[in-house]
Amino acid sequence: MQSNGNTDLTFSIYTIFNDNLVHNLEYLYSNNILVPEQYAFKKGMSTEDAAFRLTDSVLKSLNQKLHVGGIFCDLSKAFDCVNHEILLTKLHFYGIGGITINWFRSYLTKRKQKVEIKLPNSTQNLVSDWGILKHGVHPGALTISSLYK
């Protein structure tokens, strides 16, 4: 397979960004900025760990004849509510700066979207105007698989 300059440049940029992001996340881990209850995006942790911890805590309490209650919230749309300016401010507050904060700022600002609705039994669709996004971060937008190794 023949390599081209664009692929090499893209891989180089990704490698530099990924190394910088790993360094910044290690900073968050080593300075205990992420709380123990943080399971997502944390090395060696998963949703299974969170479910086990909850189940274990409930069962221990029940065995001690304690009352157990729970409030469960559906946070599946939580990424849609992230305010870009607040996110950037928090990243800066926690010591994320330089290339990494500039990359996040570039990624988040001036992003646009439009909505298209396909009408049944019609050849025409309804299409909105382009709008600038001030909230929302696609949860799968960053591929940072090396953080979980």
Side-chain angles (χ1 to χ4, degrees):
M1 184 170 155
Q2 188 175 7
S3 174
N4 68 42
N6 291 338
T7 304
D8 293 342
L9 178 61
T10 302
F11 180 75
S12 296
I13 291 170
Y14 170 79
T15 302
I16 291 167
F17 171 75
N18 192 54
D19 291 347
N20 195 309
L21 185 59
V22 168
H23 171 75
N24 281 289
L25 282 173
E26 288 301 325
Y27 168 83
L28 294 176
Y29 298 140
S30 63
N31 289 287
N32 295 319
I33 292 172
L34 297 178
V35 297
E37 292 79 14
Q38 171 75 34
Y39 286 90
F41 307 111
K42 195 170 180 184
K43 192 182 239 179
M45 303 299 274
S46 67
T47 54
E48 288 86 5
D49 294 313
F52 174 80
R53 184 172 176 194
L54 173 64
T55 305
D56 184 57
S57 177
V58 167
L59 291 174
K60 282 180 180 176
S61 296
L62 289 172
N63 284 338
Q64 295 173 10
K65 308 277 190 237
L66 298 173
H67 294 283
V68 176
I71 298 174
F72 300 93
C73 302
D74 179 3
L75 299 177
S76 61
K77 297 292 182 183
F79 282 101
D80 294 340
C81 303
V82 174
N83 179 288
H84 297 166
E85 285 304 315
I86 292 172
L87 175 60
L88 291 169
T89 300
K90 285 189 174 198
L91 288 170
H92 180 73
F93 175 81
Y94 288 119
I96 305 297
I99 294 170
T100 305
I101 196 75
N102 289 338
W103 185 90
F104 276 109
R105 183 174 287 108
S106 171
Y107 177 78
L108 293 172
T109 56
K110 299 180 184 172
R111 294 184 65 80
K112 296 180 180 181
Q113 84 173 19
K114 68 178 179 177
V115 177
E116 181 175 354
I117 300 172
K118 296 186 187 258
L119 300 172
N121 302 322
S122 175
T123 57
Q124 292 186 331
N125 298 330
L126 298 175
V127 181
S128 71
D129 293 330
W130 285 100
I132 294 179
L133 297 175
K134 296 180 183 174
H135 295 84
V137 178
H138 188 279
L142 295 176
T143 304
I144 49 176
S145 59
S146 64
L147 299 175
Y148 305 106
K149 293 181 181 174

